[in-house]
Amino acid sequence: MSWSRPYTAPGARTGTRCGTMKYVLHSPGRAPDPRQSGQAGRDRQCEADFFVTRIVIIGGGPGGYEAALVAAQLGAEVTVVDCDGLGGASVLTDCVPSKTLIATAEVMTTFDSSYEELGIIVADDTPHIEQAARVVGVDLGKVNRRVKRLALAQSHDITASVTRAGARVMRGRGRLDGQQAMDGSRKVVVRAADGSEETLVADAVLIATGGHPREIPDALPDGERILNWTQVYDLNELPEELIVVGSGVTGAEFAGAYQALGSRVTLVSSRDRVLPGEDPDAAAVLEEVFRRRGMNVMARSRAESAKRVGDRVEVTLSDGRVISGTHCLMAVGAIPNTAGMGLEEAGVRLKDSGHIWTDKVSRTSAPGVYAAGDVTGIFALASVAAMQGRIAMYHFLGDAVAPLNLKTVSSNVFTDPEIATVGYSQADVDGGRIDARVVKLPLLRNPRAKMQGIRDGFVKIFCRPGTGIVVGGVVVSPRASELIHPISIAVDNNLTVEQIANAFTVYPSLSGSIAEVARQLHTRKATAES
């Protein structure tokens, strides 16, 4: 009689404990001893063979803690090794803090740009608008204290969830120790802050260690005037003149936020436009808004160095020009946290960039080692990291799993207006990677947008000719991160523009523009077929 269930995924351990189904039994090559007989023998053999599949997760960000919750739910013995606090950079120094800061900036922008049009009177001693003074101001020290408080609270909530699920949380830095053992297990050495070490044995290891800010050798942050994005929350006073180097998502978000808070911002972009990786129509709208609000956007300008000069910072560009400000924020990308972890020695293949190679179920090139999140170089999004972590655990523990499908990923740039995207892009259409029809509708035509004083933005949807199946979309609008969801559902479920057009929307609402775009695509589809 066998006491184990057959494997349903490579490395998965599934079985019974004395007849009770659970993900907990013996390893390969450890079958019940046929010399044991009778109930007593079966009980002794069951007790000897009983164990829990051991999972060690290195890194407590979205990829790590979501994987821990799944693995614990499936009956595994889970240890999460983390050096900073669960939630990782996403919660402590990146997504949660930056979006909390941006929330304040958003209120400032909304009020500044529309209070007169909406008929709001500010009854205080604020100077008349003719004097070019702001109606409202900000206490950055108070804002940043709130930012840190909320980030820490979120980290504590995540820790409570993980420990409540039954996982163990260890504070320290983990590294792989050598190759896979004969029984399929691996060793992870955890080094604590006091220098002590503990060795863990795991049946599977998930690497989810994230990344850290990339640095330019001649522009190293000092935490006071030259900053990276993890250090801005230590500022107590608003930068009077802020130079932001880098026009990707991080640079654009912080540039827009600090401009809204009251800083005079110069955005240094090495590319032709801001957000070079985003939809070109969306990037054009945002750049126009930035310039209209007074931002100095310097395109095709590469920064080579930044240095302190008294209480100011001078940034030297590659063409020899020098720009000066009170502070400088370096937002020039991220480096994966893969160094010093024994990965290559353990058989884990790395890309030239230092990222870990993975397949669509999060496996690395080393048996029993998975990876998730920013270390993989696949869409630096918390949602993608979390999905990669969950997929890894489902796969190893033999549960039903669907490979990662990047064409259903929705993402958002938290500028003002926000830019949300899902599925195939304008670049895919223009490059001939997919044949799709496109309709773009400006928000200026939307009645709710007119009521709220929204002047910038649009809704764009891509659909397949003939079938009308929705394959992508872009929303540029306040709260675009919320408005993209119906388009995401359509992309994920192969819905048609007819199905979107026939669904009721509230009148008046910004979501009405999504239905209107779908109706226009349906009309164009019908015209093309006739």
Side-chain angles (χ1 to χ4, degrees), residues 351 355-356 373-380:
K351 303 175 185 178
H355 294 97
I356 299 173
D374 291 2
V375 290
T376 68
I378 299 174
F379 281 14

Side-chain angles (χ1 to χ4, degrees), residues 106-119:
E106 192 176 76
V107 173
M108 300 277 288
T109 301
T110 301
F111 189 82
D112 271 351
S113 62
S114 60
Y115 77 96
E116 283 190 298
E117 180 180 343
L118 298 180

Side-chain angles (χ1 to χ4, degrees), residues 101-377:
L101 177 75
I102 289 167
T104 299
E106 192 176 76
V107 173
M108 300 277 288
T109 301
T110 301
F111 189 82
D112 271 351
S113 62
S114 60
Y115 77 96
E116 283 190 298
E117 180 180 343
L118 298 180
I120 297 173
I121 298 174
V122 181
D124 61 8
D125 295 328
T126 303
H128 293 295
I129 196 66
E130 293 81 11
Q131 296 178 254
R134 296 198 70 178
V135 175
V136 290
V138 65
D139 181 341
L140 189 64
K142 188 173 182 179
V143 170
N144 280 338
R145 287 191 292 275
R146 178 175 181 265
V147 165
K148 292 179 179 180
R149 185 171 66 251
L150 291 179
L152 193 60
Q154 181 67 11
S155 178
H156 287 165
D157 287 347
I158 293 169
T159 303
S161 296
V162 170
T163 54
R164 190 164 53 243
R168 176 191 181 195
V169 178
M170 290 185 66
R171 180 62 65 92
R173 297 184 180 275
R175 70 177 189 275
L176 292 175
D177 185 16
Q179 296 282 336
Q180 189 177 34
M182 291 293 293
D183 65 355
S185 66
R186 288 187 176 273
K187 291 182 179 179
V188 175
V189 178
V190 181
R191 184 178 181 85
D194 61 5
S196 61
E197 292 188 348
E198 180 178 342
T199 299
L200 306 175
V201 179
D203 301 304
V205 177
L206 175 69
I207 309 296
T209 47
H212 61 276
R214 177 174 170 266
E215 295 179 346
I216 297 176
D218 292 329
L220 297 178
D222 61 12
E224 295 179 356
R225 296 283 174 173
I226 303 174
L227 309 159
N228 62 39
W229 69 76
T230 70
Q231 299 168 331
V232 294
Y233 311 109
D234 294 325
L235 294 175
N236 288 316
E237 295 183 359
L238 187 69
E240 184 178 344
E241 302 168 63
L242 177 65
I243 302 169
V244 178
V245 177
S247 63
V249 173
T250 301
E253 287 184 346
F254 277 113
Y258 277 102
Q259 181 189 50
L261 294 174
S263 297
R264 293 195 296 277
V265 176
T266 297
L267 179 60
V268 179
S269 172
S270 62
R271 308 291 286 275
D272 292 340
R273 58 179 172 85
V274 299
L275 297 176
E278 298 296 322
D279 181 89
D281 293 332
V285 169
L286 185 65
E287 185 166 337
E288 195 279 327
V289 169
F290 277 174
R291 294 182 187 276
R292 190 176 70 226
R293 292 174 180 168
M295 186 183 299
N296 178 22
V297 180
M298 302 181 66
R300 297 180 294 279
S301 301
R302 184 177 297 277
E304 289 200 340
S305 67
K307 65 178 181 179
R308 289 276 299 268
V309 180
D311 289 336
R312 297 185 66 80
V313 178
E314 290 186 351
V315 175
T316 302
L317 306 181
S318 57
D319 60 6
R321 288 178 294 169
V322 177
I323 53 179
S324 177
T326 59
H327 296 76
C328 176
L329 171 61
M330 303 300 297
V332 289
I335 303 294
N337 293 328
T338 53
M341 293 186 61
L343 297 179
E344 291 181 294
E345 295 81 357
V348 176
R349 178 176 146 207
L350 300 181
K351 303 175 185 178
D352 292 341
S353 60
H355 294 97
I356 299 173
W357 177 90
T358 57
D359 64 13
K360 291 187 177 181
V361 290
S362 304
R363 289 180 297 188
T364 72
S365 56
V369 180
Y370 293 74
D374 291 2
V375 290
T376 68

